[in-house]
Amino acid sequence: MSVSAEFNNKQSYTKIKDLPGFNLIELVEARTPGDSRLEMCIQCGSCGGSCPSGKDMDHSPRQLFAMLRAGIVDEVLESNAPWYCVSCYKCYVRCPQEVKITDIMYTLKTIAISTGKFKVNEAKDFSETFTGYVEKYGRSFEFGLSTRHSLRHLPMTVSGTIGLGLGLIKTGRLDITPHKIKNIDQLQKILNRAYELEAQR
Amino acid sequence: MKYLFYPGCSMQRSAKPYLDSLKLVEKTLGLESVDVEDWNCCGATEFSSVNRTASHAIVGRNLALAQEQASGTDELVAACSACYLNLSKTDHFMREDADFNALVNDALSAGGLEYEPGSVKVRHSLDIIVNNVGYDAVKEKVTKPLSGLRVGAYYGCMIVRPDVNERFSNPEEPYELEDLLEVLGAEVVDFKMKTQCCSGHMTQISSEVAYDMIKQIVKPAVEEEIDVLVTLCPMCQLNIDAFQNEMNKHFGTNYEVPILYFSQLMGLAFGYTEKELGIGKEFVNVSPALAKIGKTTEEVPTPKKKKKSKSDPSLPMPKMPIHYRGGS
């Protein structure tokens, strides 16, 4: 488990939604850098219509925002929509109200993790495995990431993934050992402080 | 021109051919780049899914290192679209949101670092080449024009969207890459899916969703009889190239669309060999396409099947000219 995952698990805000005064929409706005413009949504649906993975989402961004405003918490945090967001920013540039949709999706994922509400384990584990390698080495580690993730979640496709991995190794496109940055201590100090700061937001 | 370069994790390995070919192109164009010393991962799209403050703090470390190491330049260049966007966004948010600036700098201070927003200008390699070097200077270096090669410009997402610093012509219909490829002598096809997503991290989360999205790029490329797609993003290259075979198996199709980096095509036009440019490390064989410009790789090129002209019963639709310069 990555440091951030352990951190999230032991943090008091694991049960944040049960705290008196918990307001999901306020938390999303506070944790999203800049002005999210979440409450400016006019429910036009340009976002869902532009989304390349929209047809596989439980809710379109438009629906999520309506639910957020209606005070619905569990269904929003359990939705697969933020996890199926591919960060293509099509909705972001098309939104007539300039709602920072992609950034709101990121924030919703972080809150879904810290409240234990995520439903898409594959996506959450992929993000945390990736993050764990960065915390440990300062760099992403494609080989470790793909093998660990595939064995855990995509056993049916492991044979295909092995072929893909071997192809990448053969052509020198995959390292089987991770690279560590020199000043990893500095990065870890920054990360630990950042985790503390996030919990206060 | 001199600048700091942020390589990013992908370009160390899975996209090594991109880095190798870009270094050769920089040399030819007289671009002097120095790597940021001891840079860390930008967090891709995953760190911001786990912790917002931390995701920007690690990017802040890279910006602070670049600020410290910058000498005789304030340009910080990345060639990976995700790295480019993450560096751009953190700097942008820190400029526009004073509280957020204080937050990131608080985290950085734990590591003895500080970053003043706006002190480095984040740029993408393509932006440097088309806007600082310029098309004319590129054209002067072309010794082997790519005549007869039908190419489709494939930008993907993060280089042109959300484009927080407004460096590119349009978030959905940009034209920089097409203009560059035309200067190299290639036959540029107006590729409709040029800024459609390659499926990003979905290959790791839901294969079915990913294959569907990859097909949305590959099928139109086949229909347009594109010989090779041209990208500027390691993630796009990996998804379209490495997962194309799996996608074909899933749909029972036999599409074969090779995808190369724009720096590799520039290198070919500048007279470098395929080996120097890392060409031949793709999953989808690029030899048949390169045979059209008199290039032969080690493998014997299989002749490309003559495509039958489409019998399209629908009414002819007007085509948007490639050089359309309309506003957003």
Side-chain angles (χ1 to χ4, degrees):
Chain A
M1 191 187 287
S2 70
V3 179
S4 57
E6 283 171 24
F7 182 85
N8 278 333
N9 285 349
K10 68 176 183 237
Q11 277 304 294
S12 57
Y13 65 70
T14 306
K15 296 208 181 303
I16 198 165
K17 77 172 197 62
D18 299 324
L19 293 174
F22 173 78
N23 183 323
L24 182 56
I25 201 163
E26 278 177 12
L27 189 63
V28 171
E29 284 174 333
R31 286 206 179 160
T32 305
D35 182 2
S36 73
R37 294 179 61 84
L38 171 52
E39 297 195 71
M40 302 303 284
C41 172
I42 52 168
Q43 293 286 300
C44 72
S46 300
C47 45
S50 310
C51 185
S53 47
K55 68 183 171 62
D56 295 294
M57 288 181 175
D58 297 337
H59 309 92
S60 71
R62 178 191 67 78
Q63 284 173 310
L64 277 187
F65 300 158
M67 286 152 65
L68 272 169
R69 285 199 292 214
I72 298 169
V73 173
D74 288 1
E75 212 182 326
V76 170
L77 294 178
E78 286 167 2
S79 175
N80 73 358
W83 301 100
Y84 273 33
C85 167
V86 287
S87 305
C88 78
Y89 294 86
K90 272 246 160 111
C91 56
Y92 196 106
V93 299
R94 287 182 179 182
C95 176
Q97 289 293 84
E98 299 178 12
V99 178
K100 307 291 194 294
I101 303 165
T102 317
D103 277 301
I104 295 168
M105 292 297 187
Y106 283 134
T107 307
L108 281 172
K109 284 189 272 193
T110 66
I111 300 172
I113 291 176
S114 59
T115 54
K117 280 288 171 190
F118 55 90
K119 277 241 174 111
V120 193
N121 279 309
E122 296 88 336
K124 178 239 174 202
D125 281 354
F126 181 69
S127 295
E128 285 190 338
T129 307
F130 185 102
T131 308
Y133 282 119
V134 178
E135 285 167 340
K136 201 167 168 190
Y137 302 111
R139 298 270 170 92
S140 119
F141 176 39
E142 290 163 334
F143 179 75
L145 181 64
S146 52
T147 43
R148 204 175 138 182
H149 186 74
S150 302
L151 288 170
R152 198 154 168 200
H153 288 294
L154 308 163
M156 301 302 283
T157 62
V158 156
S159 58
T161 315
I162 288 170
L164 199 156
L166 287 176
L168 286 169
I169 292 169
K170 209 168 66 185
T171 54
R173 289 174 66 189
L174 191 65
D175 258 343
I176 49 169
T177 48
H179 287 266
K180 198 179 215 169
I181 63 168
K182 282 187 225 147
N183 209 346
I184 185 71
D185 288 353
Q186 181 187 52
L187 180 71
Q188 287 172 348
K189 280 177 192 158
I190 293 171
L191 277 170
N192 285 331
R193 180 69 187 135
Y195 293 140
E196 280 170 25
L197 290 167
E198 175 94 339
Q200 293 162 16
R201 275 157 80 79
Chain B
M1 184 189 179
K2 194 179 166 183
Y3 51 76
L4 274 170
F5 187 71
Y6 176 85
C9 304
S10 294
M11 294 188 68
Q12 301 299 295
R13 274 301 158 198
S14 67
K16 187 78 176 6
Y18 189 13
L19 186 68
D20 293 344
S21 54
L22 191 64
K23 290 290 161 202
L24 293 175
V25 166
E26 282 176 340
K27 197 172 107 188
T28 304
L29 297 176
L31 295 167
E32 195 188 325
S33 79
V34 180
D35 285 2
V36 175
E37 178 73 20
D38 207 38
W39 55 271
N40 56 261
C41 172
C42 78
T45 54
E46 305 313 313
F47 226 115
S48 46
S49 306
V50 175
N51 192 298
R52 294 311 304 261
T53 307
S55 74
H56 292 286
I58 63 168
V59 178
R61 179 177 180 271
N62 291 320
L63 290 167
L65 293 179
Q67 178 185 266
E68 265 179 20
Q69 295 164 20
S71 153
T73 178
D74 62 350
E75 313 266 9
L76 174 63
V77 179
C80 164
S81 297
C83 298
Y84 164 72
L85 178 59
N86 281 340
L87 291 164
S88 307
K89 271 180 79 175
T90 299
D91 177 60
H92 173 79
F93 283 139
M94 288 174 82
R95 267 183 284 144
E96 80 162 14
D97 182 342
D99 292 343
F100 181 73
N101 179 22
L103 182 80
V104 175
N105 268 309
D106 189 335
L108 289 178
S109 68
L113 292 175
E114 192 183 352
Y115 177 65
E116 190 191 328
S119 63
V120 296
K121 290 189 184 70
V122 182
R123 309 274 305 271
H124 191 284
S125 294
L126 178 67
D127 172 23
I128 295 284
I129 288 168
V130 303
N131 291 318
N132 288 73
V133 177
Y135 300 109
D136 292 341
V138 171
K139 195 169 188 173
E140 278 176 23
K141 301 290 180 189
V142 174
T143 53
K144 299 198 168 148
L146 309 177
S147 317
L149 189 67
R150 275 175 73 82
V151 296
Y154 180 52
Y155 297 79
C157 310
M158 295 182 176
I159 184 172
V160 287
R161 286 189 302 273
D163 197 13
V164 288
N165 295 313
E166 297 177 19
R167 303 221 191 274
F168 289 90
S169 49
N170 189 291
E172 297 194 49
E173 294 286 340
Y175 52 75
E176 284 85 350
L177 186 53
E178 280 91 335
D179 285 0
L180 179 65
L181 293 169
E182 214 162 73
V183 164
L184 304 180
E187 187 188 329
V188 184
V189 178
D190 183 14
F191 184 48
K192 299 286 185 294
M193 309 309 279
K194 63 181 171 182
T195 58
Q196 191 73 15
C197 178
C198 71
S199 80
H201 67 181
M202 289 312 288
T203 50
Q204 303 299 316
I205 293 165
S206 167
S207 304
E208 275 190 24
V209 177
Y211 295 151
D212 195 42
M213 292 172 74
I214 293 169
K215 188 183 173 190
Q216 282 182 42
I217 313 290
V218 172
K219 185 170 178 260
V222 170
E223 286 167 357
E224 291 285 352
E225 300 185 15
I226 286 171
D227 295 318
V228 57
L229 281 176
V230 186
T231 183
L232 38 77
C233 172
M235 180 61 114
C236 293
Q237 204 285 337
L238 188 70
N239 280 353
I240 302 296
D241 182 36
F243 290 91
Q244 202 173 127
N245 189 32
E246 297 295 311
M247 180 274 292
N248 273 326
K249 276 191 220 159
H250 180 75
F251 289 109
T253 49
N254 57 355
Y255 300 124
E256 223 175 297
V257 181
I259 177 164
L260 291 176
Y261 295 104
F262 77 98
S263 49
Q264 292 178 309
L265 287 195
M266 289 184 81
L268 286 176
F270 292 168
Y272 290 105
T273 65
E274 286 118 289
K275 199 171 175 210
E276 288 173 301
L277 298 163
I279 294 174
K281 296 184 172 183
E282 306 75 29
F283 283 76
V284 181
N285 188 6
V286 74
S287 306
L290 296 189
K292 291 180 77 171
I293 50 168
K295 293 278 177 186
T296 48
T297 46
E298 298 82 58
E299 286 177 72
V300 184
T302 45
K304 194 150 191 157
K305 275 176 229 139
K306 197 94 177 155
K307 299 228 172 53
K308 274 176 251 159
S309 60
K310 287 173 284 173
S311 51
D312 187 354
S314 61
L315 287 168
M317 291 294 286
K319 273 202 162 186
M320 188 76 84
I322 284 171
H323 282 272
Y324 172 68
R325 290 285 193 277
S328 53

